[in-house]
Amino acid sequence: MSFQVLDIVLYSNAGELRIINLRPGALNIITGASKTGKTALIEIIDYCLGSGECYIPEGIIRRSTSWVGLKLLVKEGQVFIARRVPKPGIKTSPDIYYEVGNQLVVPPFEKLKSTINPQGLETLLNKHAGISENIHETPEVQTRRPLKANIRHALFFTYQQQSEIISNKHLFHKQSEEWIPQAIRDVLPYFLGAVDEDYVSKMEKLRKLKNDLRLLERKLMEFEAVRGNGLTKAHLLLGEAQNLGLYPPSELPAAWEDSVSALGIIQRIPVNPEKEVSQEDDEFERLQHERLQLINDLKAVKAQLEAAKALDSDRDTFSQEAREQASRLNAIGLFDRTKDERMVCPVCQSHIEESVVPSFVRLQDALTQVQKQVRTTSERSPKMQEAIRTLETKIDNLKRRLADNREAAEAVQANNQRLQEVQDRAARRAYILGRVALYLESLPQVQVTSDLQQKMRDLQKEIRSLEEQTSSEAIQERLQSIISIISFDMNDWAKELLLEHSENPLRLDAKRLTIVADTPEGPIPMDKMGSGENWVGYHLIIHFALHKWFVAKKRPVPRFIVIDQPSQVYFPSDIDVDGSMNEIKKDEDREAVSRMFQLMVKVVEDLSPEFQIILTDHADIREDWFQKSVIERWRRGTKLVPVEWDIKPGKN
């Protein structure tokens, strides 16, 4: 699952359309002079794909367009997205039009209206790209919050602006902005596939197992505290009993088991109940009230979970039934809808006296409604699964709080049941007998500590296994393995482009986000390599290598890249004729430009139909292999925005 761009659409203030048709799975070249709008295409595409702010350049484009749109090729068919261009002084617009279908026609201006919010658009684009639930856990020593990769992160690998393609310091889109480099480092393992698809579920299970282990460790500590250090606690109780005449004066038993038996004899001595004093505490009452509230909350959340699971099951059943109904209704496409439905049979085409019921139009309406319902239920499925996981987490938390409440209440109750200090011996005897009874009552639990310790060992073993699978070290090992594989393509293409240091092994440095050449004298990063030709070439080979891996491994990254003016380092900035090679004075520069574009043709053909390049450039090479990829020429008055749009009033 992923998508490519079919059309880039602009709507004038007067409602006129400007459509740039693109070919999926191919190299699409828009060649033109300076100041014709080439650089704005990346910002238009990015704005339609959910950018939080509109970066379309000010001037004629912002002044003359009311909406911009994209038609995408997706697994489900086609998607059309349009966003209103914000007015001057406003950073963005919440108005987004979204439509999905098998074959879409670019809607007219009058049809555009807000049908979805930015958050909903991001969710749908994640789905179209195939981005599953994921999370990047930051190391414990860092304070950054966990990061979920989404479509906005995937787009870091699909754009190369004019200023980015010639940079010797930054490889990826927006890498020069604050916080973006760290985000790219965090999401790169997921998009390359170094993180398993079930990573999130493993992390959730790991957290739960660690919580269970902590509970068992706490219980074991409590049991050991009851038993005491060796014979110390049992002997202490026997010594106090001897002092009160409850145990004959003699040498205390040497074995702990014998001490427990002696305490059992003492426990059976009658106690004068009239000397016992009990007192209640407000804390115990508060804990009881809290327990009732927790029980009620647990019942309510369990009911919600059952309802959510039932609803999810009903949704699956409904989706299946609806798809079957849609399949039946699709048969209406076999009928000739041009004839009068009331006088001609839709099956045999013979004339009949009575009208056909139901009519073709009613069947078509029913099909449309069923398809809409199927899409709606499919789009809401991820949110329902997330709601179910949230409810399950709430139930676990409530159960842990109930356990903590019960233990706290027992401790408070034990304290409240102690006898108050009295002077007479009987009360003191009763007090020591109570302590003996409490100690002995705890002993049966202590005797099962061997089972408890076995459970802890099993949990620790399972935790270690999950930690090995989800550890940052394991992820980094897989990431480095992938980087080593894509380095083969980088080296081959660098040699084809005759780039500097191409005779040495090349690799992506995932930490510094740059390309490094490993030479006998030591590693050389891209910012230490000279000439704009090399920087452009290295940008191209790393992005092509990444996209080749994305395609081969079906990773959830859009299947296109937009490159803005990679030949700028060769063409004189003060000359603008026709983009031909004659504008480049040096033969070696003309050959370098030709090699660069031929590499693009080769990569697209190798990955066809799964990869699309959208290229805007000054160059217009007079060769068949180049000319067949040209889709538009913006010269001699032809531009992205027609000049006549700038003087027409708006409709709204």
Side-chain angles (χ1 to χ4, degrees):
M1 294 179 66
S2 200
F3 55 83
Q4 299 182 43
V5 183
L6 294 175
D7 295 326
I8 302 172
V9 185
L10 282 73
Y11 294 84
S12 74
N13 290 324
E16 298 165 298
L17 285 173
R18 167 77 162 100
I19 303 176
I20 302 171
N21 301 120
L22 302 173
R23 297 188 294 262
L27 171 62
N28 297 264
I29 301 176
I30 299 174
T31 178
S34 300
K35 300 180 181 180
T36 54
K38 300 189 299 295
T39 300
L41 286 183
I42 285 181
E43 303 301 351
I44 291 173
I45 294 172
D46 193 51
Y47 185 55
C48 292
L49 293 179
S51 173
E53 186 172 340
C54 179
Y55 292 99
I56 298 174
E58 297 285 352
I60 185 174
I61 303 177
R62 294 281 287 267
R63 188 170 61 244
S64 304
T65 58
S66 56
W67 290 70
V68 290
L70 286 183
K71 185 161 71 172
L72 304 177
L73 177 65
V74 300
K75 182 180 180 181
E76 299 83 353
Q78 295 179 0
V79 164
F80 185 78
I81 303 167
R83 291 191 73 176
R84 187 187 299 274
V85 177
K87 296 180 180 180
I90 302 176
K91 292 184 177 181
T92 188
S93 171
D95 296 339
I96 303 174
Y97 176 86
Y98 175 88
E99 183 181 2
V100 61
N102 293 327
Q103 292 289 330
L104 296 180
V105 177
V106 174
F109 176 85
E110 292 75 15
K111 188 178 178 181
L112 297 182
K113 60 181 180 180
S114 183
T115 61
I116 194 171
N117 59 31
Q119 293 76 21
L121 176 64
E122 180 177 306
T123 299
L124 291 174
L125 289 174
N126 286 340
K127 178 182 176 183
H128 291 313
I131 298 176
S132 60
E133 187 177 8
N134 66 87
I135 192 169
H136 171 78
E137 293 285 355
T138 57
E140 294 182 359
V141 296
Q142 299 182 9
T143 58
R144 289 183 291 114
R145 299 178 61 183
L147 177 68
K148 290 185 178 181
N150 57 45
I151 184 62
R152 299 303 306 165
H153 298 118
L155 294 173
F156 291 144
F157 309 103
T158 63
Y159 303 135
Q160 281 289 282
Q161 292 176 324
Q162 180 180 2
S163 60
E164 294 169 340
I165 192 74
I166 61 170
S167 172
N168 67 336
K169 297 183 182 299
H170 306 113
L171 277 182
F172 301 106
H173 182 56
K174 292 190 175 182
Q175 185 181 335
S176 60
E177 298 182 12
E178 189 176 14
W179 310 118
I180 298 298
Q182 187 58 57
I184 296 175
R185 294 186 195 100
D186 289 345
V187 301
L188 187 61
Y190 169 74
F191 286 119
L192 285 176
V195 176
D196 296 336
E197 292 298 326
D198 58 351
Y199 177 78
V200 174
S201 61
K202 287 181 178 178
M203 290 300 298
E204 289 293 335
K205 184 177 182 181
L206 182 59
R207 276 191 286 269
K208 184 178 183 301
L209 292 177
K210 286 184 175 180
N211 285 334
D212 293 343
L213 180 60
R214 281 193 292 269
L215 290 175
L216 293 181
E217 288 174 340
R218 189 171 67 181
K219 287 186 178 297
L220 183 61
M221 290 176 61
E222 293 172 354
F223 295 161
E224 293 296 338
V226 170
R227 174 169 176 167
N229 185 13
L231 294 173
T232 302
K233 197 158 191 176
H235 277 184
L236 178 61
L237 290 173
L238 285 174
E240 294 183 15
Q242 282 180 334
N243 189 45
L244 294 172
L246 294 173
Y247 186 74
S250 61
E251 186 176 350
L252 297 178
W256 178 77
E257 290 78 6
D258 294 336
S259 297
V260 171
S261 299
L263 289 174
I265 296 173
I266 295 173
Q267 184 188 23
R268 290 190 287 272
I269 297 175
V271 179
N272 184 359
E274 295 180 355
K275 299 298 182 180
E276 295 181 4
V277 180
S278 64
Q279 54 184 353
E280 296 182 356
D281 194 284
D282 291 340
E283 176 63 9
F284 181 79
E285 191 173 18
R286 185 193 68 78
L287 289 170
Q288 288 294 92
H289 182 270
E290 182 187 64
R291 179 174 180 78
L292 291 175
Q293 184 62 46
L294 289 172
I295 291 174
N296 290 334
D297 291 346
L298 182 60
K299 290 180 179 178
V301 176
K302 284 184 175 179
Q304 293 174 12
L305 178 60
E306 292 177 0
K309 289 183 176 179
L311 180 60
D312 190 54
S313 176
D314 292 341
R315 179 196 61 75
D316 291 339
T317 303
F318 171 78
S319 296
Q320 182 179 356
E321 293 294 333
R323 290 191 185 96
E324 293 180 0
Q325 184 67 10
S327 299
R328 299 189 189 101
L329 290 173
N330 275 326
I332 65 173
L334 302 174
F335 302 147
D336 185 359
R337 70 183 73 177
T338 62
K339 297 182 179 180
D340 189 348
E341 301 169 356
R342 297 171 298 176
M343 303 301 295
V344 179
C345 174
V347 178
C348 65
Q349 305 297 309
S350 63
H351 290 275
I352 56 177
E353 296 298 328
E354 298 181 356
S355 62
V356 178
V357 179
S359 69
F360 179 90
V361 174
R362 291 176 60 189
L363 290 173
Q364 182 64 50
D365 291 342
L367 175 58
T368 301
Q369 183 66 21
V370 169
Q371 290 175 335
K372 181 178 180 181
Q373 292 170 343
V374 170
R375 286 195 301 272
T376 301
T377 55
S378 298
E379 292 167 357
R380 294 178 178 175
S381 178
K383 293 185 177 180
M384 178 58 68
Q385 293 299 322
E386 182 178 354
I388 290 175
R389 287 192 296 273
T390 300
L391 291 173
E392 289 175 341
T393 301
K394 285 183 178 180
I395 288 175
D396 289 339
N397 290 335
L398 287 171
K399 287 181 177 179
R400 284 194 290 271
R401 290 177 62 190
L402 272 172
D404 292 339
N405 174 277
R406 182 179 61 254
E407 293 171 357
E410 290 174 352
V412 171
Q413 191 175 32
N415 285 330
N416 289 343
Q417 290 175 348
R418 288 182 180 177
L419 299 177
Q420 65 181 11
E421 289 292 336
V422 291
Q423 298 299 320
D424 60 280
R425 185 178 180 82
R428 292 163 60 195
R429 286 162 59 94
Y431 175 65
I432 190 59
L433 289 174
R435 290 178 59 196
V436 170
L438 178 61
Y439 178 74
L440 294 177
E441 287 170 4
S442 303
L443 291 183
Q445 295 177 316
V446 177
Q447 292 170 358
V448 300
T449 55
S450 58
D451 294 338
L452 188 61
Q453 291 170 338
Q454 182 59 47
K455 290 180 181 179
M456 291 173 58
R457 286 191 290 270
D458 293 341
L459 279 177
Q460 289 166 344
K461 181 179 179 181
E462 193 171 0
I463 287 172
R464 283 194 297 271
S465 175
L466 284 174
E467 284 179 336
E468 289 174 359
Q469 298 175 48
T470 59
S471 69
S472 58
E473 291 80 6
I475 294 173
Q476 287 303 314
E477 286 181 3
R478 291 194 290 269
L479 179 62
Q480 290 305 318
S481 176
I482 294 171
I483 289 175
S484 296
I485 294 173
I486 68 174
S487 294
F488 287 104
D489 289 319
M490 292 172 57
N491 280 278
D492 290 343
W493 293 333
K495 292 175 182 176
E496 290 184 26
L497 296 179
L498 303 181
L499 299 180
E500 185 180 0
H501 303 295
S502 59
E503 71 279 5
N504 299 302
L506 302 171
R507 58 182 168 86
L508 169 66
D509 188 329
K511 291 185 178 180
R512 293 190 291 172
L513 299 179
T514 189
I515 291 179
V516 175
D518 291 315
T519 72
E521 291 75 28
I524 301 177
M526 186 174 65
D527 61 352
K528 302 298 182 183
M529 303 175 187
S531 86
E533 176 186 347
N534 285 304
W535 303 334
V536 171
Y538 280 120
H539 277 254
L540 293 177
I541 65 172
I542 183 57
H543 281 83
F544 291 163
L546 287 173
H547 278 275
K548 182 177 179 180
W549 179 267
F550 295 152
V551 170
K553 299 303 179 180
K554 297 180 172 56
R555 299 308 302 159
V557 177
R559 297 287 186 261
F560 69 86
I561 185 171
V562 188
I563 306 172
D564 185 25
Q565 305 186 66
S567 70
Q568 59 186 292
V569 296
Y570 303 100
F571 280 87
S573 59
D574 57 341
I575 298 178
D576 183 11
V577 182
D578 58 3
S580 70
M581 289 293 222
N582 294 331
E583 297 178 29
I584 304 176
K585 295 182 179 180
K586 297 181 179 180
D587 291 341
E588 58 267 27
D589 287 348
R590 287 194 289 269
E591 293 173 359
V593 172
S594 180
R595 287 195 299 268
M596 179 174 61
F597 288 121
Q598 288 187 59
L599 175 62
M600 296 183 192
V601 173
K602 175 184 176 181
V603 170
V604 165
E605 289 178 350
D606 289 345
L607 300 182
S608 179
E610 297 297 325
F611 184 53
Q612 174 189 46
I613 298 177
I614 303 170
L615 174 70
T616 57
D617 206 282
H618 179 83
D620 192 357
I621 301 175
R622 305 300 191 263
E623 298 286 348
D624 289 342
W625 59 265
F626 185 93
Q627 292 298 312
K628 71 177 184 179
S629 297
V630 175
I631 59 171
E632 290 203 13
R633 287 184 175 83
W634 294 353
R635 287 189 170 85
R636 301 177 181 85
T638 301
K639 301 181 180 181
L640 171 63
V641 177
V643 177
E644 57 270 20
W645 281 17
D646 200 24
I647 60 175
K648 292 188 177 181
K651 283 190 173 185
N652 54 357

